[in-house]
Amino acid sequence: MIPRNPRLAALKAGYLFPEIAKRRREYAAAHPETASPDKRIISLGVGNTTEPILPHINRGLVEGARRLGTVEGYSGYSDEGLLPLREGISRVFYRGEFAADEVFISDGAKCDIGRLQLLFGPEVTVAVQDPSYPVYVDGSVLSGAGGTWTGAGYGGITYLPCTAENDYFPDLSSLPEHSLCYFCSPNNPTGAAAKREQLAALVDAALKKGVIIVFDGAYAEYIRDPRLPKTIFEIPGAKSCAIEVNSFSKPAGFTGVRLGWTVVPKELKYAGGEAVKADWERICGTIFNGASNIAQAGGLAALEPEGLGEIRQLCDFYLENARLIRAALDSLGVSSVGGDNSPYIWARFPGRDSWEVFAEILEKCQVVTTPGSGFGPAGRSFIRFSAFGHRADVEEACARLGRLGTS
Ligand code: PLP
């Protein structure tokens, strides 16, 4: 037999969400009363969308499938994506600033984050916001760049704390030179959306320090404050230091459809002057055969005026859930941030361990949440509440949260 890849063994624990699912199953097995409707477990834990795809976008998907059954409408591999979709994404989300060949259609942002690591290899220094979406760290560990677990984090990763004290934006003097920096805004899990001057400072630091930013804009369509940038490319200079990954998952309910994109500007170069974009084309051509043509037909419908209206409507629905959750936490005196320009609320439980708070909320309220420590060391005393849920479930969960005030 051959030995196990040691990088798999280096992954500290089970991936966060399977671990939460396991604890939920164990709780349900030990509490048969959770089978009854008033005691049923409600999840405000994961970032999976719950509402149906809205009609115009759904018709695009159906029509895309229908066309595949016709001689004139059939299409095979679409390589880096259907041209109208690449052009449409540039036009709708980037004011037409990118040529179609700088926009790469993917089967989702997470999948591209995994593949992007191949561009930089195991030697690169990685920096992440702490807390952050776990894939940046776990993917880096799998690629070899993360190094080994030291007890407080991975040796190859620089954690940039994002806390109440720094407005959930990292101290950029700690950003290592020549590193690969993952940056997510609006952020999962804190819900913080970086201000224009903050992103400008990040781009400035990246240009000065020879850093490449992987900007994750998966929640951009949740931004309601018009002053907040929706993409890193609103910042001058970003084309020379950033890649952006993005997705139809959270704005259009495509978590199960699978469609995203990555922008690799032609200006982006490695230290040796080679174009990053050329290598990304090579990687996509080598280990990825393109997104589903049906999903892309849905994506095209999403970019039409009716589709953009539906995106707005769907995000507004989840933002209203977020407002309800924050109001419930406020009434308990639990301080929280997020939820106004993002579907996540980051609630603070000073001095407590997040898995312990997770267990208390499950025990008293039969509500599943996400322990902040799963997102990085700075999340130790936080709980992430997700606004992805049916309205009735969110209302019921909010009512039950009232039990936390009692012993
Ligand atoms: N990026 C962030 C920050 C996320 O929170 C998620 C999903 O939760 C993703 C990317 C995954 O997106 P996709 O469904 O396109 O793979």
Side-chain angles (χ1 to χ4, degrees), residues 74-288:
Y74 178 76
S75 53
Y77 294 128
S78 74
D79 299 324
E80 287 107 4
L82 300 173
L83 184 62
L85 185 60
R86 302 177 85 180
E87 289 171 343
I89 287 172
S90 175
R91 186 182 66 250
V92 171
F93 298 121
Y94 304 100
R95 299 176 299 191
E97 281 182 19
F98 292 103
D101 69 355
E102 295 170 283
V103 180
F104 296 77
I105 307 303
S106 73
D107 52 349
K110 191 191 223 178
C111 319
D112 260 2
I113 293 163
R115 287 187 286 261
L116 276 167
Q117 320 243 357
L118 293 173
L119 284 171
F120 307 101
E123 307 302 332
V124 72
T125 302
V126 173
V128 295
Q129 288 156 295
D130 175 18
S132 68
Y133 180 46
V135 181
Y136 314 142
V137 168
D138 288 354
S140 301
V141 173
L142 286 176
S143 80
T148 50
W149 182 250
T150 64
Y154 286 97
I157 295 181
T158 299
Y159 295 81
L160 304 170
C162 297
T163 61
E165 290 66 37
N166 62 15
D167 192 23
Y168 297 95
F169 186 81
D171 170 8
L172 295 173
S173 66
S174 308
L175 178 64
E177 296 203 330
H178 313 297
S179 59
L180 180 68
C181 173
Y182 290 94
F183 195 93
C184 178
S185 176
N187 186 268
N188 175 10
T190 66
K195 299 181 184 76
R196 188 170 301 274
E197 57 275 20
Q198 292 175 325
L199 279 193
L202 176 67
V203 167
D204 186 52
L207 291 171
K208 285 191 178 127
K209 296 187 180 199
V211 165
I212 290 186
I213 301 164
V214 174
F215 184 84
D216 187 338
Y219 299 97
E221 291 309 304
Y222 285 82
I223 291 181
R224 290 292 171 266
D225 181 340
R227 292 167 302 180
L228 298 172
K230 284 185 156 184
T231 153
I232 187 92
F233 296 119
E234 286 185 38
I235 309 298
K239 287 181 183 168
S240 304
C241 65
I243 291 170
E244 180 165 309
V245 290
N246 217 312
S247 171
F248 286 91
S249 283
K250 309 303 165 97
F254 273 26
T255 43
V257 174
R258 308 307 304 145
L259 189 68
W261 70 91
T262 291
V263 177
V264 185
K266 59 181 180 315
E267 290 88 343
L268 187 68
K269 304 277 164 57
Y270 298 104
E274 311 90 335
V276 175
K277 177 174 162 291
D279 278 355
W280 185 238
E281 274 160 6
R282 181 77 166 93
I283 288 172
C284 290
T286 306
I287 58 162
F288 179 54

Side-chain angles (χ1 to χ4, degrees), residues 190-193 222-225 228 319 322-323 326 337-345:
T190 66
Y222 285 82
I223 291 181
R224 290 292 171 266
D225 181 340
L228 298 172
L319 284 169
R323 195 191 62 74
R326 258 197 95 165
V337 290
D340 36 8
N341 294 289
S342 101
Y344 297 120
I345 294 111

Side-chain angles (χ1 to χ4, degrees), residues 322-402:
R323 195 191 62 74
L324 294 172
I325 296 167
R326 258 197 95 165
L329 292 169
D330 284 352
S331 69
L332 288 169
V334 173
S335 92
S336 65
V337 290
D340 36 8
N341 294 289
S342 101
Y344 297 120
I345 294 111
W346 189 236
R348 198 174 184 185
F349 294 85
R352 298 192 59 192
D353 174 74
S354 61
W355 277 107
E356 179 202 308
V357 181
F358 166 90
E360 184 189 339
I361 298 174
L362 184 56
E363 194 71 44
K364 286 189 177 165
C365 313
Q366 290 79 50
V367 170
V368 173
T369 56
T370 314
S373 61
F375 298 98
R380 214 188 78 81
S381 296
F382 287 84
I383 288 287
R384 188 195 73 173
F385 288 85
S386 162
F388 293 112
H390 300 310
R391 180 62 45 78
D393 288 344
V394 170
E395 286 172 346
E396 169 70 17
C398 287
R400 289 189 200 169
L401 287 177

